[in-house]
């Protein structure tokens, strides 16, 4: 065929086969049918985002797409947050308008190296609501450009390819489960590019190519095997590290500069549970979230797979005791594994003003769950 878009369409179909073959490689450590089924579900979520976000990307006429939902999860989704993203052209100037909408935290992060659908190579400029002039009604306006602007300015660089927004909520229920939840947000170029042309062979091919690039980056090109550990990510299962606070997140694509993270891999037998004891530091927001190997949350519409400070029952001395278990232990602060024998426990402390306390853990047998 002479159609370029037909050729790229075939490349997308071929990539789906390549992804399937990749799950079977020994380095991916997916020996069971259920392991590979979990991987296929993740790939479908990645494809969903690739088609929605990247195939429709138009930096001249940008739009904020919602990154995650209860049915679209990747790259570390958070039940207590609403995320949006938009592609940009660093050679253009943009005006962004929005409203805090009751969020306990709002921020804008420039992702570097994402042009054409590539994975973020790190963080560029960031702005949070402490750094933005906000009106009494919660509304704000900021400019994104390479040239400095008065007032709220989000600095772009030649490597800038997209903007990610974060809106955190500490509710009794996960904010991401509310189907009516909407954060007012818009982005427009300061110079009107005029209306777009109807899609043609070239624009269709370019959209498909961006989708392929993104999907490949989160599947077959995702590293396998041992990697250099991050200070906040424990290499010992069921135990947490507690490194000093720093700004090490800026080299991690799609991370949040204002977050201090703590993470470990949990390993539980059928009749085992993990007790986690600690204290929340002084911070803007804090929660703990369970993830699978693909940094996806388990089904949180019907399972308690995360706990924020408002949802957590504290001990008389202000500390907390959480129990990670396969079934309800009959005590407060149950984190439901949904039956997964292994996964990741991931903490976020947002804008902490003090060093977080060490998270202490203890492996329990079924008879000890409630004690």
């Amino acid at each position: 065929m002479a159609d370029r878009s037909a050729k790229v369409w075939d490349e997308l179909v071929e990539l789906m086969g390549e992804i399937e073959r990749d799950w079977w490689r020994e380095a991916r450590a997916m020996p069971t049918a259920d392991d590979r089924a979990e991987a296929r579900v993740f790939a479908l979520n990645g494809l969903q985002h690739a088609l929605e976000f990247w195939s429709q990307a138009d930096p001249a006429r940008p739009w904020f797409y919602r990154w995650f939902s209860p049915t679209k999860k990747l790259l570390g989704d958070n039940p207590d947050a609403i995320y949006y993203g938009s592609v940009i052209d660093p050679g253009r100037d943009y005006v962004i308008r929005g409203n805090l909408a009751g969020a306990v935290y709002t921020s804008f992060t420039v992702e570097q190296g994402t042009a054409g659908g590539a994975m973020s190579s790190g963080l560029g400029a960031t702005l949070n609501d402490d750094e933005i002039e906000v009106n009494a009604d919660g509304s704000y306006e900021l400019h994104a450009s390479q040239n400095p602007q008065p007032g709220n300015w989000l600095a772009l660089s030649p490597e800038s390819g997209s903007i990610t927004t974060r809106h955190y909520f500490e509710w009794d229920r996960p904010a991401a489960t509310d189907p009516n939840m909407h954060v007012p947000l818009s982005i427009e170029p300061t110079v009107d590019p005029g209306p777009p042309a109807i899609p043609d062979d070239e624009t269709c091919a370019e959209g498909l190519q961006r989708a392929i690039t993104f999907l490949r980056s989160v599947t077959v090109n995702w590293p396998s095997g041992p990697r250099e550990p991050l200070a906040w990510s424990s290499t010992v299962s069921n135990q947490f590290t507690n490194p000093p606070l720093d700004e090490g997140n800026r080299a991690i694509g799609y991370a949040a500069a204002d977050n201090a993270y703590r993470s470990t891999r949990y390993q539980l037998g059928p009749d085992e549970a993990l007790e986690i004891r600690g204290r929340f530091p002084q911070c803007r927001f804090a929660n703990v979230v369970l993830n699978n190997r693909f940094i996806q949350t388990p089904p949180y519409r019907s399972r308690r797979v995360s706990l924020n400070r408002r949802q957590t029952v504290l001990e008389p001395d202000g500390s907390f005791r959480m129990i990670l278990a396969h079934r309800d232990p009959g005590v407060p602060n149950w984190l439901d594994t949904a039956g997964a024998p292994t996964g990741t426990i991931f903490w976020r402390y947002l804008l902490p003003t003090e060093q977080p306390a060490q998270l202490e853990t203890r492996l329990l047998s079924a008879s000890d769950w409630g004690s």
Side-chain angles (χ1 to χ4, degrees):
M1 294 184 182
D3 300 355
R4 185 189 170 205
S5 57
K7 180 178 181 297
V8 183
W9 181 280
D10 287 342
E11 290 177 12
L12 177 58
V13 174
E14 291 171 5
L15 175 58
M16 297 303 292
E18 186 178 351
I19 292 170
E20 169 62 23
R21 292 188 294 274
D22 186 62
W23 306 139
W24 293 80
R25 292 196 300 117
E26 184 176 353
R28 292 299 187 193
M30 299 182 196
T32 72
D34 287 346
D35 290 333
R36 294 185 291 275
E38 183 179 59
R40 294 179 192 110
V41 170
F42 166 72
L44 288 172
N45 279 228
L47 176 61
Q48 180 182 352
H49 184 75
L51 295 177
E52 178 183 55
F53 187 90
W54 285 109
S55 73
Q56 302 297 311
D58 184 355
R61 304 166 188 84
W63 187 266
F64 277 117
Y65 290 89
R66 184 165 166 178
W67 259 89
F68 309 128
S69 74
T71 57
K72 187 178 73 168
K73 306 172 182 181
L74 61 161
L75 298 175
D77 63 291
N78 180 358
D80 290 317
I82 308 297
Y83 300 81
Y84 293 91
S86 177
V87 297
I88 54 168
D89 174 354
R92 296 178 182 269
D93 295 357
Y94 301 94
V95 59
I96 297 172
R97 297 181 178 91
N99 193 286
L100 300 182
V104 299
Y105 170 85
T106 297
S107 73
F108 296 83
T109 301
V110 178
E111 307 292 348
Q112 303 292 82
T114 51
M119 176 62 64
S120 175
S121 60
L123 310 185
T126 65
L127 280 178
N128 63 43
D129 51 69
D130 280 343
E131 302 162 326
I132 298 172
E133 295 178 11
V134 179
N135 299 321
D137 64 354
S139 64
Y140 54 82
E141 178 177 302
L142 60 91
H143 288 81
S145 63
Q146 291 195 49
N147 297 319
Q149 301 291 326
N152 300 325
W153 175 51
L154 187 65
L156 305 182
S157 71
E159 294 76 33
S160 302
S162 59
I163 295 174
T164 301
T165 79
R166 292 172 173 83
H167 314 266
Y168 285 15
F169 299 84
E170 278 187 310
W171 290 355
D172 290 327
R173 68 186 188 283
T177 63
D178 186 346
N180 300 312
M181 185 64 204
H182 172 68
V183 178
L185 197 62
S186 67
I187 178 170
E188 296 177 348
T190 56
V191 177
D192 185 1
I198 60 172
D200 58 16
D201 181 51
E202 187 67 18
T203 58
C204 178
E206 290 174 352
L208 286 169
Q209 189 61 65
R210 289 190 298 268
I212 289 171
T213 298
F214 176 81
L215 183 58
R216 179 176 288 279
S217 73
V218 297
T219 54
V220 295
N221 285 357
W222 195 263
S224 61
R227 284 177 280 175
E228 184 176 347
L230 299 163
W232 46 261
S233 181
S234 175
T235 58
V236 180
S237 296
N238 299 335
Q239 296 181 25
F240 292 95
T241 61
N242 193 33
L245 296 174
D246 62 21
E247 296 186 355
N249 298 340
R250 290 186 173 273
I252 306 172
Y254 296 117
D258 292 331
N259 268 333
Y261 299 125
R262 300 288 183 270
S263 176
T264 191
R265 192 85 179 161
Y266 74 82
Q267 297 276 354
L268 294 180
D271 293 315
E272 290 182 327
L274 187 69
E275 176 188 76
I276 307 171
R277 288 187 179 268
R279 292 178 180 272
F280 291 115
Q282 292 295 318
C283 58
R284 181 78 70 85
F285 168 95
N287 79 348
V288 58
V289 179
L290 302 185
N291 292 139
N292 65 11
R293 74 173 77 200
F294 300 105
I295 333 179
Q296 294 177 291
T297 52
Y300 55 77
R301 282 186 293 182
S302 56
R303 293 181 181 272
R304 178 55 60 83
V305 303
S306 65
L307 284 167
N308 62 42
R309 291 180 299 184
R310 183 168 178 173
Q311 296 165 333
T312 303
V313 178
L314 299 180
E315 301 289 305
D317 65 356
S319 66
F320 59 75
R321 176 180 187 255
M322 298 178 180
I323 300 295
L324 178 72
H326 301 313
R327 54 187 183 274
D328 190 348
V331 297
N333 306 329
W334 172 37
L335 287 167
D336 185 355
T337 67
T342 185
T344 299
I345 312 170
F346 192 83
W347 289 83
R348 291 174 173 90
Y349 304 128
L350 181 57
L351 292 173
T353 58
E354 61 180 348
Q355 174 68 24
Q358 174 69 48
L359 293 162
E360 303 290 348
T361 58
R362 182 168 63 114
L363 197 61
L364 304 176
S365 62
S367 60
D368 298 325
W369 285 10
S371 60

